Amino acid sequence: MSRDGQRSSRLRHRPSRAIPSIIAGILLLAAGVALAWLAITRLANGTWPPLLQGPRDWLAVLAWNDPAIRQIGIAAVVAGVVLLLCAFIPGGFNALTIDDSRSGAGAEEPPVQERETVMTRRAVARLAKARCLQIDGVGSAAATATTRRVHLNVTTSLHEPGDLRARITDAVRARLEETGLSPVPQVTATVRSRD
């Protein structure tokens, strides 16, 4: 994928933190519904529901310096810190950048300024898998990719694979370099013999 222009949004973006937001929202909504139900029951009947009898009695005998209060406080602080970290620490990039400055080297036109070319992690994994399947001795392959690493799980019919792992990693790394990924992710492989 590529996009030109100064006003366009970046193609290589970080994912939104929707999952932690949804979890926090559902928990807060459930707490709000429960508190509203308890308050309405208290106002309508003049007493708290029998469901709260056990927790109410337990809370009535607690003191501020009770170990249970400290444990509840520590758990609340840890949950809050985890949610804050989820909100502030950015997620991983969804794509890898391609250095396309080499493509305009011999052209008559000057290269386009502010051009961004990216390749999604899924596309990098598919490219690595396709290159791996072209290597002699590889029966099947599966690939996963992050912005820093590509890992291949390879199955071979060879009883002794020998240097197959090195050939795979070298060939895939060379293909990723030819593509122009910048920086080229580290390539690792796990080779298993099919029984």
Side-chain angles (χ1 to χ4, degrees):
M1 276 189 270
S2 67
R3 181 178 290 166
D4 298 331
Q6 296 175 345
R7 293 187 181 180
S8 63
S9 63
R10 299 207 33 97
L11 291 174
R12 186 175 186 241
H13 62 275
R14 295 183 186 271
S16 66
R17 293 299 190 168
I19 301 293
S21 300
I22 290 170
I23 291 172
I26 289 172
L27 291 175
L28 289 173
L29 179 65
V33 168
L35 288 174
W37 174 73
L38 291 172
I40 291 170
T41 304
R42 171 80 166 119
L43 291 173
N45 298 337
T47 61
W48 292 104
L51 175 72
L52 290 180
Q53 186 66 31
R56 188 177 57 132
D57 293 341
W58 178 70
L59 288 172
V61 297
L62 283 180
W64 283 105
N65 60 353
D66 196 322
I69 295 293
R70 288 189 198 125
Q71 292 170 354
I72 292 170
I74 289 171
V77 167
V78 168
V81 168
V82 166
L83 287 173
L84 283 174
L85 289 176
C86 286
F88 291 126
I89 295 175
F93 285 111
N94 67 339
L96 289 84
T97 57
I98 295 177
D99 181 17
D100 57 356
S101 62
R102 295 179 288 177
S103 62
E108 296 175 6
E109 299 176 13
V112 178
Q113 293 181 355
E114 298 296 325
R115 181 176 185 143
E116 179 183 32
T117 306
V118 298
M119 184 178 234
T120 63
R121 292 183 302 198
R122 182 182 296 169
V124 172
R126 287 181 180 173
L127 178 67
K129 177 182 174 183
R131 179 61 186 108
C132 181
L133 289 173
Q134 295 172 350
I135 299 171
D136 290 336
V138 173
S140 64
T144 57
T146 64
T147 54
R148 294 183 181 165
R149 185 170 165 257
V150 173
H151 182 73
L152 296 150
N153 288 316
V154 178
T155 305
T156 181
S157 57
L158 302 174
H159 293 293
E160 293 189 24
D163 67 338
L164 183 60
R165 178 182 297 142
R167 287 189 297 140
I168 290 169
T169 55
D170 291 342
V172 171
R173 185 178 301 113
R175 181 64 182 111
L176 295 178
E177 286 174 357
E178 289 172 9
T179 304
L181 292 178
S182 176
V184 177
Q186 176 188 3
V187 179
T188 58
T190 303
V191 179
R192 290 178 299 162
S193 295
R194 187 181 305 151
D195 294 329

